[in-house]
Amino acid sequence: TGLRYDNVRFNSSSIFSPRIGLEFLFSPITKFNIAFGEYYQSPSYWMLMNPNNAHPLKHSYTAQAVAGFEHLLAEDTRLTFEIYRKNYYNRPVKQSDISLDSLDNRLGFIDIGEGYSEGIEVFVQKKFASKWYGTISYSYSDSKAKDYRINQDGYYPWDYDSKSGLTLV
């Protein structure tokens, strides 16, 4: 279990974010992990302190769930498989992005943004035991933001929606 505390005087935010993780051992070499939690982050200061904001921005936060298996393939080699879902709330949105006058960048921000990210990750790590070490991982994610533009409905691919990632070290 865990608990994080954030306090930002500028927007009078004082927030506790709870977290819990559980590990189930199937054998000495195989386990199942699951974790839930809320993760808060204050907006970037250039957004938070924008004098044109209608009100002080709230902290953005995610409600997250992660589940996965971990298995030792050998004494020095581990395989991990995880799936996750993150729901985002209170993300800063530029007023000009959702107003009739899209060229007016002086309207400030509002904290109505929502979205989600979900995906999978497969990770193999070989520790340095004899002669060599390395990692290989593949991840797939789908990240979408709620569309607040006038006459729009639904979600669109978010800024950091990179879909697939392969790492080899």
Side-chain angles (χ1 to χ4, degrees):
T1 61
L3 189 64
R4 177 181 163 148
Y5 174 72
D6 288 287
N7 184 9
V8 177
R9 291 186 182 134
F10 185 80
N11 64 357
S12 301
S13 292
S14 181
I15 298 169
F16 285 98
S17 45
R19 299 148 190 203
I20 187 167
L22 301 169
E23 179 178 276
F24 302 97
L25 295 172
F26 291 119
S27 73
I29 62 170
T30 304
K31 62 184 171 180
F32 174 73
N33 300 311
I34 189 165
F36 301 96
E38 289 182 356
Y39 295 81
Y40 286 83
Q41 182 176 6
S42 64
S44 298
Y45 277 106
W46 66 274
M47 293 178 187
L48 185 64
M49 299 179 78
N50 187 317
N52 297 318
N53 293 344
H55 59 82
L57 300 175
K58 298 178 207 162
H59 277 58
S60 300
Y61 72 96
T62 59
Q64 299 183 22
V66 180
F69 281 96
E70 187 176 310
H71 181 74
L72 293 177
L73 299 172
E75 195 172 287
D76 63 346
T77 308
R78 177 178 58 168
L79 168 69
T80 303
F81 173 81
E82 288 185 341
I83 60 173
Y84 66 88
R85 170 78 183 209
K86 300 176 184 181
N87 292 318
Y88 293 83
Y89 304 97
N90 297 345
R91 299 292 299 170
V93 174
K94 284 200 296 187
Q95 290 253 20
S96 61
D97 287 349
I98 60 173
S99 71
L100 291 174
D101 186 359
S102 62
L103 300 177
D104 190 353
N105 285 322
R106 298 181 183 196
L107 294 175
F109 295 86
I110 54 175
D111 50 19
I112 62 168
E114 293 183 14
Y116 70 87
S117 181
E118 57 190 10
I120 62 167
E121 190 170 286
V122 180
F123 181 75
V124 178
Q125 177 186 30
K126 183 188 181 312
K127 295 180 181 177
F128 184 71
S130 63
K131 299 186 182 178
W132 66 280
Y133 63 94
T135 60
I136 184 170
S137 69
Y138 171 76
S139 62
Y140 174 83
S141 68
D142 184 35
S143 300
K144 302 266 195 260
K146 192 169 183 178
D147 196 343
Y148 291 97
R149 294 174 298 175
I150 295 172
N151 298 326
Q152 296 294 319
D153 191 20
Y155 290 80
Y156 63 90
W158 221 333
D159 296 350
Y160 52 89
D161 185 31
S162 56
K163 294 290 182 211
S164 292
L166 179 66
T167 304
L168 179 62
V169 177

